[in-house]
Amino acid sequence: MKKFISIFLTCFLCLLSNAFGEILDPLDPFDRPDSVAESENEDSDKSAMELIEEAQHLLMDERLLDARTKLLRALEKDPKRYEAHILLSSYYIRHVGHFRLALKYIKRARQLFEEEHGPPPYSDPLQQYKHSQVLYLISQSRLNLDNYSGALELLDEYSSYGYTSEWYASSRAWILMKLGDLDEAIKIARTGMLAGAEPGRTLNMLGILLSMKNERKAALDVFRRAVLYETALGRLGQPATPLNNQGEVYKEIFNENMAELSWLKSTSLPDGCEHVLPALNLALLYIEQTNYRGAKKTLDNFESCVAQFPLRNGEEHKALVHLARGRVDLHTGNVEQAIKHFESALERKQWFGKIGTNIEDLQVGVLISLAQALEIQNNHLKKTNHPSIAASIGSSRVQVANRIRAWWYRRRARQILSEDLENLEDIYIRHTDSMVEYPSFGYLLKDFPTRTLKNRIALEKKTDERREATLYYKGYIAENLLRHGNRDEGISLLREVISNARSQFDDALKLHAQILLLQKIRTEDEAYKFLAFEAFETARASIRNYGLMLPVNFQVENSKVKNAMENANFTLDNSKEFPYTVSAEHSEGKHILSFVASKNSPIGTIKVRGEDLKQTVNKFAATVFSPDFNDEK
Amino acid sequence: MFSNFSHPALKTSSSKVSFALLLAMRSAFFALLVALLDYALDFGTSPTLLCSGVIVGTIVASLLAFSNLRGRGFLLLLGLIFILHKIAFWIGTKIIELNGEQIFSLYHLQEHGDLLLLLSGIAAVTTWAFWWFRHVITLELLLMLLGCVYLLSGHRNFHFDRPQLINTLAWHFGYSPLAMFIIVGSVAAFCLIFYATIASLPSKPIADPEQRSVKVHRVRPNLLLAGSVVGIAAILLFTIAQQLFVHYSEVVTNRLANGVGQADKEGLSPLGFHSALGSTKQPAALLRLEGDYADNPHSPMLYLRESALTEFNGRELVYGGASWSVDASNTKPDQPFQRDPDPILQDRSELVQSIYLLSDHNFAFAVDYPISIRRLQNPNRKRFKAAYRAISLAPSASIEDLHYEPVGDPRWSVDELDHYLAPHTDPRYGELAKEVTKGITLPVRQAAALAKHLSKVAIYTLTPEHELEANEDPVAAFLFGDKRGYCVHFAHASVYMLRSLGIPARIATGYLTDLSQARDGHVLLRMSDRHAWAEINISGKGWIPFDTQPEQVENFADPQVDMNMLEELMSMLDPDEDILPNDVIKDELNVYPEESVSLPDPRVIFIPIIGTLLFMIFFKLYLRYGWLLAGNGRSQLRRSYVALASTLYDLGYRRQSGETREEYRKRLNSEVGQELLLITSKLNSSTYSNPESPIVSSEEVRGLREVDFKTLAKFPLWRRFLAFLNPSSLLVPFSGRSW
């Protein structure tokens, strides 16, 4: 009986241990922690403190994984060595960006520290230093986990013990900014500058805060000082960041030349491709000036720069680069490639912690772009000569699917923009977080009820005194009015936008307005022809992208060729002299189609050959309506 | 609401059961569809609201279908609701002045309302059509099948991880994607069969009077038939699913792993030549570097060798056995391995790695030349198959520094050298190699020239799909044909050409990963990272990869690593509780990211089910034993009759429409052959007599009831048990009919 009871108890205990602990296989000799390998390693006879000291040296030598392993070994030897916890936390914040784990280590360090030295305050300077370090790391971990009030709480505690540090002012100001207390943040940053805070970081922070308070002149002055300070540090300095911020402020005040200069300088510096924003900002500026070649070159340069650092995490910038590349492809008529870029941007998981923007901004940018690209693809398909009925049916199917997808993406983009991004904060023209060029926003805003949009714009205009911004707001209202059937008022506003747009800097806005106007007037009108030529000269792809027709003179006898041309984006008209002429000939079984621009035009002559007439005309239209980056000036 | 049960098509109990079952299935189907669509499209509107909307739409349309409303009226009603919704918001926009924070609130309400109306409208219209037209079920099944085929068509070419949801579920439950794919397919097929069976039974009520069947069917045969069909379908599906799993699990490992499988038998090759479906991101292992590898000559790439193919069998290179690849561990992941470093090897540094296997592996793999492999305790048995720590002697010399080194190991015997130089019988390999390396005398430079040549002229594709005879050389079709191939083709072609030049060469298999996608030294190895590459033996340096990096790429596996998954796996390797207790951050905010797919807590599903079952049981007990609670004799009489009638109802003896209690009793007695419901006359006289008349005594009622219960007890026990489980009688009180 006793035997039975003991067996029963053993089984019961086994079951209990299975229920509460990890299941170990008693018959498996390897199902035990690895002790052999550990005993073999060279660190086995070192103390925990020796290992921690070695790890510190390794961290300084950038041998990060060796340092991490040493620290973990130190903790295996002595799990209560808080110095190892502090170093591991710092490693996970600075080098890995794994803030949850960093917080875990540093909170454990705090527990152990207080167990060893008792509760604060401390009189020993070394203990004070370590304690301040612990508080700083907790606040940094919380800040990076978006727990701003928690981070501020720690900084309050930090200052309550009389600790001071050069990072304190900028860090506190950053947290206050995130909590929306701009005035207090500015006060802290300014006081910090007087009290000896680290100038580069604090000035940069102060500049950002001042620009958010619309004190842009003061912000620019502060950024200038930050750039000077960082430049003076030589190889240790990081002037690209304040330069980028300076460029953003210049862009906000519509000083595009200075913005371009800041970003060009920023991207040319050694730390210029530390993050993507300077290159992205410059590319967007070029797109707003319809300088697609410049935008493409900027992105090429950025990617070449990043390629020098093979171990840098690729996640950080790829979605944004895909978005910007897609926008260039879209405006230059390469719509299939653009769609691929946008879909890649949508799929990629971007890590936004470092560059200070958020995922909704990216989502909105990509969704607008995808919707636009799908509608543009439909316009291309509508003006394509299909070789067979099957191809025509296939094209119709694609068009229906594209329309549904575009509708859906527009709906989602509007929803995110107005629900998640603080009541359409991006409507503030040249808002720094926006990831698409501003004329494109009208495409999205047209679907809002006119009254709602007008109210929102009126609200924005109360605080926005920038004269140049007014034109954009008018453009948005015009597009919205046209969408809701208010043709006359819409057209009148569009004409105002076109006539008041600044040359070069507002080219994309002007082009967008011209396109909208062209869609509303008849091709026979003189105004149509004038606008179409101007739009074509500004951006060759625009005519085809929006399903418009380009009036051209022709030297074509064959009626089949004429029909095929008119099924593409050409209106053949010899009643007047136009700047462009198309001609067709047939020799040696091949169709040769030519496009000749007048001498004043930078486009020159384009020739396309092919055996099949329809395919040759399609290729001809695609070539005429897309810029060649290799040939153009 | 339940007055609709008086509709002629819903008179019989079998039609009511059909109606209730179909309504429940349609509601569940629409709710599931909305949840799936929300997962795929992210509606931006609360999925709970949308699911409730479609369920309400389905229920309302079902009830309206059996009301006096006709088709046009129903469509008009829907149109009216839609127009009213639009007008309300149009007026709202014109009248209500919204400013500040609320400026878009009306607009948001409209957007969510539009979607809700659209989805519930679709559910309502299709449900209405379903009840009105017999052939709608065929159309619906066709559409559902098309949907299933379209969704699951992503699995073509062995992509069992498509659509993405299957992969997510597989990861969540810890199954392989193949198993999850088969489970999802089987469950979908079973649900379709079940739905089709119930919807095509003659008892399915039809709302259209012109199409309505005049036959009255009893519920038992219908349910028996349905049960048999569904049961047979379930058995068949289970058998087929099991066979499918057995068949494909053999094929799938090789196909999904860039054509690089794990065959470990001598004389066999783990490599496939037809097509490699490496675009799958199936996780294979988590690699954790325990130290820096700053001298990595292939940076940022890292080669992890598993085995080597050295023997030429006349058609391809095959595994020659452990003795021909002594630098690999040639052990299983759960076997310990230890050896002394080869004294001849120079320019190598020790690199410690921990490897946590996420899928089954035949061989342990490690960076280059492992000298020790020790099993580690599995940190998470649900997720990892096994774990081991390897210490490797990793090469640190750059490839450029090796150009002047001689090839081969001076310690090799003639037989060994011949083994690594065994050439291909086709002279074209030698001719091409000589042509490419013309004028180059140093063997390592010759190897580099060959790699460069291949990378320039050949195209990398995962789908070369060369049509070959059984004994035809698969590499010739690549190198002397269209030059389209993947790593297996490139590695073979390189080795054949290298051997023809007298350079000892072999193919190594394992993983090739990109360290730029590592985090804190952790790398997620996927099936798409499986790789085969050529290696040459350099004197004093050992076997060195001479891989080709094709300039022309037709298609390739997406190299992007799922960082969320990597972080999830990394967190499983966090130090033990005594070093880093978990509760230290329990009060912190925003510490854990929201899950992209949150599966409902099992309690959410089971509690309502258990609750419903309990309610049904208690309700049935009340019907059967309600007389225990009755106060006076009259009340006892009524409750006793209900107890008897409900038991008979569940036994299949039901009072028909228009039948009086007395007629029912007579019919019952003739059908059963026993005197039952003796209580009827007493109940009738009590019900229709003057309320002032004397009250029936409890003793009298008990006497009658006990006689009836004794008669009922003559039914076999199993029939009485099944009758207790039969829920039919529970519906009667809600149908507006009396017992």
Coordinates of all heavy atoms in Angstrom, one line a residue, chain A residues 22 28 31 38 63-66 68-69 72 85 91-92 97 104-105 107 142 145 310 315 348 411-412 414-415 418-419 423 451, chain B residues 42-44 93-94 97 101 107-108 112 288 290-292 375 377-378 381 389 516 519-520 560 571 575 579 582 588 590-591:
Chain A
E22 N 8.7 24.0 -17.2 CA 8.9 23.5 -18.5 C 9.1 22.0 -18.5 O 9.6 21.4 -17.5 CB 10.2 24.1 -19.1 CG 10.2 23.9 -20.6 CD 11.5 24.4 -21.2 OE1 12.3 25.0 -20.4 OE2 11.7 24.1 -22.3
D28 N 16.4 12.1 -21.8 CA 17.2 12.7 -22.9 C 18.4 13.4 -22.2 O 18.3 14.4 -21.5 CB 16.3 13.7 -23.6 CG 17.1 14.3 -24.8 OD1 18.3 14.1 -24.9 OD2 16.4 15.0 -25.6
D31 N 18.7 17.2 -22.9 CA 17.7 18.1 -22.6 C 18.0 18.9 -21.3 O 17.2 18.8 -20.3 CB 16.3 17.4 -22.5 CG 15.2 18.3 -22.7 OD1 15.5 19.5 -22.9 OD2 14.0 17.9 -22.7
E38 N 29.8 26.2 -22.3 CA 30.1 27.3 -21.5 C 31.4 27.1 -20.7 O 32.2 28.0 -20.6 CB 29.0 27.6 -20.5 CG 27.7 28.1 -21.2 CD 28.0 29.2 -22.1 OE1 28.6 30.2 -21.7 OE2 27.5 29.2 -23.3
R63 N 32.8 46.4 -31.4 CA 32.6 45.0 -31.5 C 31.4 44.6 -30.6 O 31.5 44.1 -29.5 CB 33.9 44.2 -31.0 CG 35.0 44.4 -32.0 CD 36.3 43.8 -31.5 NE 36.2 42.4 -31.2 CZ 37.1 41.7 -30.6 NH1 38.2 42.3 -30.2 NH2 37.0 40.4 -30.3
L64 N 30.2 44.9 -31.2 CA 29.0 44.9 -30.5 C 28.5 43.5 -30.0 O 28.1 43.3 -28.9 CB 27.9 45.6 -31.3 CG 28.3 47.0 -31.7 CD1 27.2 47.5 -32.7 CD2 28.5 47.9 -30.6
L65 N 28.6 42.6 -30.9 CA 28.1 41.2 -30.6 C 29.0 40.6 -29.5 O 28.5 39.9 -28.6 CB 28.0 40.3 -31.8 CG 27.0 40.8 -32.9 CD1 26.9 39.8 -34.0 CD2 25.6 41.0 -32.2
D66 N 30.3 40.8 -29.7 CA 31.2 40.2 -28.7 C 30.9 40.9 -27.3 O 30.9 40.2 -26.3 CB 32.7 40.6 -29.0 CG 33.2 39.8 -30.2 OD1 32.6 38.7 -30.4 OD2 34.1 40.2 -31.0
R68 N 28.0 42.2 -26.3 CA 26.7 41.6 -25.8 C 26.9 40.3 -25.2 O 26.4 40.0 -24.1 CB 25.8 41.6 -27.0 CG 24.4 41.1 -26.7 CD 24.1 39.7 -27.2 NE 23.7 39.7 -28.6 CZ 24.0 38.7 -29.4 NH1 24.6 37.6 -29.0 NH2 23.6 38.7 -30.7
T69 N 27.7 39.4 -25.8 CA 27.9 38.0 -25.3 C 28.6 38.1 -24.0 O 28.3 37.4 -23.0 CB 28.7 37.2 -26.3 OG1 27.9 37.2 -27.6 CG2 28.9 35.8 -25.9
L72 N 26.2 39.1 -21.3 CA 25.3 38.0 -20.9 C 26.0 37.0 -20.1 O 25.4 36.4 -19.1 CB 24.7 37.4 -22.2 CG 23.7 38.3 -22.9 CD1 23.2 37.6 -24.2 CD2 22.4 38.5 -22.0
H85 N 23.4 45.1 -16.7 CA 22.0 45.4 -17.2 C 22.0 46.8 -17.8 O 21.4 47.0 -18.9 CB 21.0 45.4 -16.0 CG 20.7 44.1 -15.6 ND1 21.3 43.4 -14.6 CD2 19.7 43.2 -16.0 CE1 20.7 42.2 -14.4 NE2 19.8 42.1 -15.3
Y91 N 23.1 49.4 -25.0 CA 23.4 48.7 -26.3 C 22.1 48.5 -27.1 O 22.0 48.8 -28.3 CB 24.0 47.3 -26.0 CG 24.0 46.4 -27.1 CD1 24.8 46.5 -28.2 CD2 23.1 45.3 -27.1 CE1 24.8 45.6 -29.3 CE2 23.1 44.4 -28.2 CZ 23.9 44.5 -29.3 OH 23.8 43.7 -30.3
Y92 N 21.0 48.1 -26.4 CA 19.8 47.8 -27.2 C 19.1 49.1 -27.6 O 18.4 49.2 -28.6 CB 18.8 47.0 -26.4 CG 19.2 45.5 -26.4 CD1 19.7 44.8 -25.3 CD2 19.1 44.8 -27.6 CE1 20.0 43.5 -25.4 CE2 19.4 43.5 -27.7 CZ 19.9 42.9 -26.6 OH 20.3 41.5 -26.8
G97 N 18.0 49.3 -31.4 CA 16.6 49.9 -31.5 C 15.6 48.9 -31.0 O 14.4 48.9 -31.4
K104 N 13.4 46.6 -20.3 CA 13.4 45.4 -19.4 C 14.7 45.4 -18.6 O 14.7 45.3 -17.4 CB 13.2 44.1 -20.2 CG 12.3 43.2 -19.6 CD 12.0 42.1 -20.6 CE 11.6 40.8 -20.0 NZ 11.4 39.7 -20.9
Y105 N 15.8 45.5 -19.4 CA 17.1 45.5 -18.7 C 17.3 46.7 -17.7 O 17.7 46.5 -16.6 CB 18.2 45.6 -19.7 CG 18.6 44.2 -20.3 CD1 18.3 43.9 -21.6 CD2 19.2 43.3 -19.5 CE1 18.7 42.6 -22.1 CE2 19.5 42.0 -20.0 CZ 19.3 41.7 -21.3 OH 19.6 40.5 -21.8
K107 N 15.0 48.6 -16.2 CA 14.1 48.5 -15.1 C 14.7 47.5 -14.0 O 14.6 47.7 -12.8 CB 12.7 48.2 -15.5 CG 12.1 49.3 -16.3 CD 10.9 50.1 -15.7 CE 10.1 49.6 -14.7 NZ 8.8 50.3 -14.5
R142 N 11.3 54.7 -22.7 CA 9.8 55.0 -22.8 C 9.5 56.0 -23.9 O 8.5 55.8 -24.6 CB 9.4 55.7 -21.4 CG 9.3 54.7 -20.3 CD 8.8 55.3 -19.1 NE 8.6 54.4 -18.0 CZ 8.3 54.8 -16.8 NH1 8.3 56.0 -16.4 NH2 8.1 53.9 -15.8
L145 N 9.2 54.2 -27.0 CA 8.0 53.3 -27.0 C 6.8 54.2 -27.1 O 5.7 53.7 -26.8 CB 8.0 52.4 -25.8 CG 9.0 51.2 -25.9 CD1 9.2 50.6 -24.5 CD2 8.6 50.2 -26.9
P310 N 26.9 48.1 -46.2 CA 26.1 46.9 -46.4 C 25.4 46.4 -45.2 O 24.4 45.7 -45.3 CB 27.1 45.9 -46.9 CG 28.4 46.4 -46.5 CD 28.3 47.9 -46.4
E315 N 15.5 48.1 -43.8 CA 14.1 48.4 -43.7 C 13.8 49.9 -43.7 O 12.7 50.4 -44.1 CB 13.6 47.8 -42.4 CG 13.5 46.4 -42.4 CD 12.3 45.9 -43.1 OE1 11.2 46.4 -42.8 OE2 12.4 45.1 -44.0
R348 N 6.1 46.9 -47.5 CA 7.3 47.0 -46.6 C 6.9 47.5 -45.2 O 6.1 48.5 -45.1 CB 8.4 47.8 -47.2 CG 9.0 47.1 -48.4 CD 10.2 47.7 -48.9 NE 10.6 47.0 -50.1 CZ 11.2 45.8 -50.2 NH1 11.5 45.2 -49.1 NH2 11.4 45.3 -51.3
R411 N -10.8 55.9 -50.9 CA -11.6 55.9 -49.7 C -10.7 55.7 -48.4 O -10.9 56.4 -47.5 CB -12.6 54.8 -49.8 CG -13.5 54.7 -48.6 CD -14.4 53.4 -48.7 NE -15.2 53.3 -47.5 CZ -14.7 52.8 -46.3 NH1 -13.5 52.3 -46.3 NH2 -15.5 52.7 -45.3
R412 N -9.8 54.8 -48.5 CA -9.0 54.5 -47.3 C -8.1 55.7 -47.0 O -7.8 56.0 -45.9 CB -8.1 53.2 -47.6 CG -8.9 51.9 -47.3 CD -9.3 51.8 -45.9 NE -8.3 51.5 -45.0 CZ -8.2 52.0 -43.7 NH1 -9.2 52.8 -43.3 NH2 -7.2 51.7 -42.9
R414 N -8.5 58.8 -47.7 CA -9.3 59.9 -47.1 C -9.6 59.6 -45.7 O -9.5 60.5 -44.8 CB -10.7 60.1 -47.9 CG -10.6 60.8 -49.2 CD -12.0 61.3 -49.6 NE -13.0 60.2 -49.6 CZ -13.2 59.4 -50.6 NH1 -12.5 59.4 -51.7 NH2 -14.2 58.5 -50.5
Q415 N -9.9 58.3 -45.4 CA -10.3 57.9 -44.0 C -9.1 58.1 -43.1 O -9.2 58.7 -42.0 CB -10.7 56.5 -44.1 CG -11.7 56.1 -43.0 CD -12.1 54.7 -43.2 OE1 -11.4 53.8 -43.8 NE2 -13.3 54.4 -42.7
S418 N -8.3 61.9 -42.6 CA -9.1 62.7 -41.8 C -9.4 62.1 -40.4 O -9.7 62.9 -39.5 CB -10.5 62.9 -42.5 OG -11.1 61.7 -42.8
E419 N -9.2 60.8 -40.2 CA -9.5 60.2 -38.9 C -8.2 60.1 -38.1 O -8.2 60.4 -36.9 CB -10.1 58.8 -39.1 CG -11.6 58.9 -39.4 CD -12.3 57.6 -39.3 OE1 -12.0 56.8 -38.4 OE2 -13.1 57.3 -40.2
N423 N -7.5 65.3 -38.2 CA -8.4 66.2 -39.0 C -7.7 66.8 -40.2 O -7.7 68.0 -40.4 CB -9.0 67.3 -38.2 CG -10.3 66.8 -37.5 OD1 -10.9 65.8 -37.9 ND2 -10.7 67.5 -36.4
R451 N -18.7 71.7 -48.8 CA -18.8 72.6 -47.6 C -17.8 72.2 -46.5 O -17.2 73.0 -45.9 CB -20.3 72.5 -47.1 CG -20.6 73.5 -46.1 CD -22.1 73.7 -46.1 NE -22.5 74.7 -45.1 CZ -22.9 74.4 -43.9 NH1 -23.1 73.2 -43.5 NH2 -23.3 75.4 -43.1
Chain B
D42 N -8.5 45.8 -44.9 CA -8.5 46.8 -43.8 C -9.6 47.8 -44.1 O -9.3 48.9 -44.6 CB -7.1 47.4 -43.6 CG -7.1 48.4 -42.5 OD1 -8.1 48.3 -41.7 OD2 -6.2 49.2 -42.3
F43 N -10.8 47.5 -43.8 CA -12.0 48.4 -44.1 C -11.9 49.8 -43.4 O -12.4 50.7 -43.9 CB -13.3 47.8 -43.6 CG -13.8 46.6 -44.4 CD1 -14.1 45.4 -43.9 CD2 -13.9 46.8 -45.8 CE1 -14.6 44.4 -44.7 CE2 -14.3 45.7 -46.6 CZ -14.7 44.5 -46.0
G44 N -11.2 49.8 -42.3 CA -11.2 51.1 -41.6 C -12.4 51.4 -40.8 O -12.5 52.4 -40.1
T93 N -25.0 67.8 -43.8 CA -23.9 68.6 -44.3 C -24.3 70.1 -44.5 O -23.5 71.0 -44.3 CB -23.3 68.0 -45.6 OG1 -23.4 66.6 -45.5 CG2 -21.9 68.5 -45.9
K94 N -25.5 70.2 -45.0 CA -26.0 71.6 -45.3 C -26.4 72.4 -44.0 O -26.2 73.6 -44.0 CB -27.2 71.6 -46.2 CG -27.0 71.0 -47.6 CD -26.3 71.9 -48.5 CE -25.8 71.2 -49.8 NZ -24.7 71.9 -50.5
E97 N -23.4 72.9 -38.8 CA -22.1 73.7 -38.9 C -21.1 73.0 -38.0 O -21.2 73.1 -36.7 CB -22.4 75.1 -38.5 CG -21.2 76.0 -38.8 CD -20.9 76.3 -40.2 OE1 -21.9 76.5 -41.0 OE2 -19.8 76.3 -40.6
E101 N -12.5 70.2 -34.0 CA -12.3 68.7 -33.9 C -13.3 67.9 -34.7 O -13.0 66.9 -35.2 CB -12.2 68.3 -32.5 CG -11.0 68.7 -31.7 CD -9.7 68.1 -32.1 OE1 -9.7 66.8 -32.1 OE2 -8.8 68.8 -32.5
Y107 N -18.9 63.4 -41.9 CA -18.3 62.8 -43.1 C -17.9 61.3 -42.7 O -18.2 60.4 -43.5 CB -17.2 63.6 -43.6 CG -16.4 62.9 -44.8 CD1 -17.0 62.8 -46.0 CD2 -15.2 62.2 -44.5 CE1 -16.4 62.1 -47.0 CE2 -14.6 61.6 -45.5 CZ -15.1 61.5 -46.8 OH -14.5 60.8 -47.8
H108 N -17.2 61.2 -41.6 CA -16.8 59.9 -41.2 C -18.0 58.9 -41.0 O -18.0 57.8 -41.4 CB -16.0 59.9 -39.8 CG -14.7 60.7 -40.0 ND1 -14.2 61.3 -38.9 CD2 -14.0 60.9 -41.0 CE1 -13.1 61.9 -39.3 NE2 -12.9 61.6 -40.6
H112 N -18.6 55.4 -43.0 CA -18.9 54.1 -42.3 C -20.3 53.6 -42.6 O -20.5 52.4 -42.8 CB -18.7 54.3 -40.8 CG -17.3 54.6 -40.3 ND1 -16.2 54.0 -40.8 CD2 -16.8 55.6 -39.5 CE1 -15.1 54.5 -40.3 NE2 -15.5 55.6 -39.5
R288 N 21.7 32.9 -34.3 CA 22.1 34.0 -33.4 C 23.7 33.9 -33.4 O 24.3 33.0 -32.9 CB 21.5 33.7 -32.1 CG 22.0 34.7 -31.0 CD 21.3 34.3 -29.7 NE 22.0 34.8 -28.5 CZ 21.5 35.6 -27.6 NH1 20.2 36.0 -27.7 NH2 22.2 36.0 -26.6
E290 N 27.0 34.8 -31.8 CA 27.4 35.1 -30.4 C 28.6 36.0 -30.4 O 29.1 36.4 -29.3 CB 27.7 33.8 -29.6 CG 26.5 32.8 -29.5 CD 25.3 33.3 -28.7 OE1 25.4 34.4 -28.1 OE2 24.3 32.7 -28.7
G291 N 29.2 36.3 -31.5 CA 30.3 37.2 -31.6 C 30.4 37.9 -32.9 O 29.6 37.5 -33.9
D292 N 31.2 38.9 -33.0 CA 31.3 39.7 -34.3 C 32.1 38.8 -35.3 O 33.0 38.1 -34.9 CB 32.0 41.0 -34.0 CG 31.2 41.9 -33.2 OD1 30.2 42.4 -33.8 OD2 31.5 42.2 -32.0
R375 N 24.2 20.5 -28.3 CA 22.7 20.8 -28.2 C 22.4 21.8 -27.1 O 23.0 21.7 -26.0 CB 22.0 19.5 -28.0 CG 20.5 19.7 -28.0 CD 19.8 18.4 -28.0 NE 18.4 18.6 -27.7 CZ 17.5 17.6 -27.6 NH1 17.9 16.4 -27.9 NH2 16.3 17.8 -27.3
Q377 N 19.4 23.8 -24.7 CA 18.0 23.5 -24.2 C 17.0 24.3 -25.1 O 17.3 25.5 -25.5 CB 17.9 24.0 -22.8 CG 16.5 23.7 -22.2 CD 16.4 24.1 -20.8 OE1 17.4 24.5 -20.2 NE2 15.2 23.9 -20.2
N378 N 16.0 23.7 -25.6 CA 15.0 24.3 -26.4 C 14.3 25.4 -25.7 O 13.6 25.2 -24.7 CB 14.0 23.3 -27.0 CG 13.2 23.8 -28.1 OD1 13.0 25.1 -28.2 ND2 12.6 23.0 -28.9
R381 N 9.4 25.0 -26.9 CA 9.1 23.8 -27.6 C 8.0 23.9 -28.6 O 7.9 23.1 -29.5 CB 8.8 22.7 -26.5 CG 10.0 22.2 -25.9 CD 9.7 21.3 -24.7 NE 10.9 20.8 -24.1 CZ 11.6 19.7 -24.5 NH1 11.1 19.0 -25.5 NH2 12.7 19.4 -23.9
R389 N 24.4 24.8 -30.4 CA 25.4 25.8 -30.5 C 26.6 25.3 -31.3 O 27.1 24.2 -31.0 CB 25.9 26.3 -29.2 CG 26.9 27.4 -29.2 CD 27.0 28.1 -27.9 NE 25.8 28.9 -27.6 CZ 25.5 29.3 -26.4 NH1 26.3 29.1 -25.4 NH2 24.4 30.0 -26.2
S516 N 22.8 42.1 -43.6 CA 22.3 43.4 -43.4 C 20.9 43.4 -42.9 O 20.3 44.4 -42.5 CB 22.4 44.2 -44.7 OG 21.5 43.6 -45.7
R519 N 19.4 41.5 -36.9 CA 19.1 42.4 -35.8 C 19.8 41.8 -34.5 O 19.5 40.7 -34.1 CB 17.6 42.5 -35.6 CG 17.3 43.8 -34.9 CD 15.9 44.2 -35.2 NE 15.7 45.4 -34.4 CZ 14.6 45.7 -33.8 NH1 13.6 44.9 -33.8 NH2 14.5 46.8 -33.1
D520 N 20.7 42.6 -34.0 CA 21.4 42.2 -32.8 C 22.0 40.8 -33.0 O 22.0 39.9 -32.1 CB 20.3 42.1 -31.6 CG 21.0 41.7 -30.3 OD1 22.2 42.0 -30.1 OD2 20.3 41.1 -29.4
Q560 N 13.4 40.2 -48.5 CA 13.0 41.0 -47.3 C 12.6 40.1 -46.2 O 11.7 39.2 -46.3 CB 11.8 41.9 -47.7 CG 11.7 43.1 -46.9 CD 12.9 44.1 -47.1 OE1 13.5 44.1 -48.2 NE2 13.3 44.8 -46.1
S571 N 12.6 37.4 -28.9 CA 12.1 37.6 -27.6 C 12.0 36.3 -26.8 O 12.0 36.2 -25.6 CB 10.7 38.3 -27.5 OG 9.8 37.4 -28.1
P575 N 17.0 36.3 -21.7 CA 17.6 35.6 -20.6 C 16.6 35.1 -19.7 O 15.4 35.5 -19.7 CB 18.5 36.7 -19.9 CG 18.8 37.7 -21.0 CD 17.6 37.7 -21.8
I579 N 17.6 36.4 -14.3 CA 18.4 37.5 -14.8 C 17.5 38.7 -15.2 O 17.8 39.8 -14.9 CB 19.3 37.1 -16.1 CG1 20.3 36.0 -15.6 CG2 20.0 38.3 -16.7 CD1 21.1 35.4 -16.7
N582 N 10.2 38.8 -16.2 CA 9.2 39.4 -17.1 C 8.4 40.5 -16.5 O 8.0 41.4 -17.2 CB 8.3 38.3 -17.7 CG 8.8 37.9 -19.0 OD1 9.1 38.7 -19.9 ND2 8.8 36.6 -19.3
E588 N 4.4 48.9 -17.7 CA 4.8 49.9 -18.7 C 3.8 49.9 -19.9 O 3.2 48.9 -20.2 CB 6.2 49.5 -19.3 CG 7.3 49.6 -18.3 CD 7.6 51.1 -17.9 OE1 7.3 52.0 -18.8 OE2 8.1 51.4 -16.8
N590 N 2.7 50.6 -23.9 CA 3.2 50.4 -25.3 C 4.3 49.5 -25.5 O 5.2 49.7 -26.4 CB 3.6 51.8 -26.0 CG 2.6 52.8 -25.8 OD1 1.4 52.5 -25.7 ND2 3.0 54.1 -25.9
V591 N 4.4 48.5 -24.6 CA 5.6 47.7 -24.6 C 5.5 46.6 -25.7 O 6.4 46.3 -26.4 CB 5.9 47.0 -23.2 CG1 6.9 46.0 -23.3 CG2 6.3 48.1 -22.3

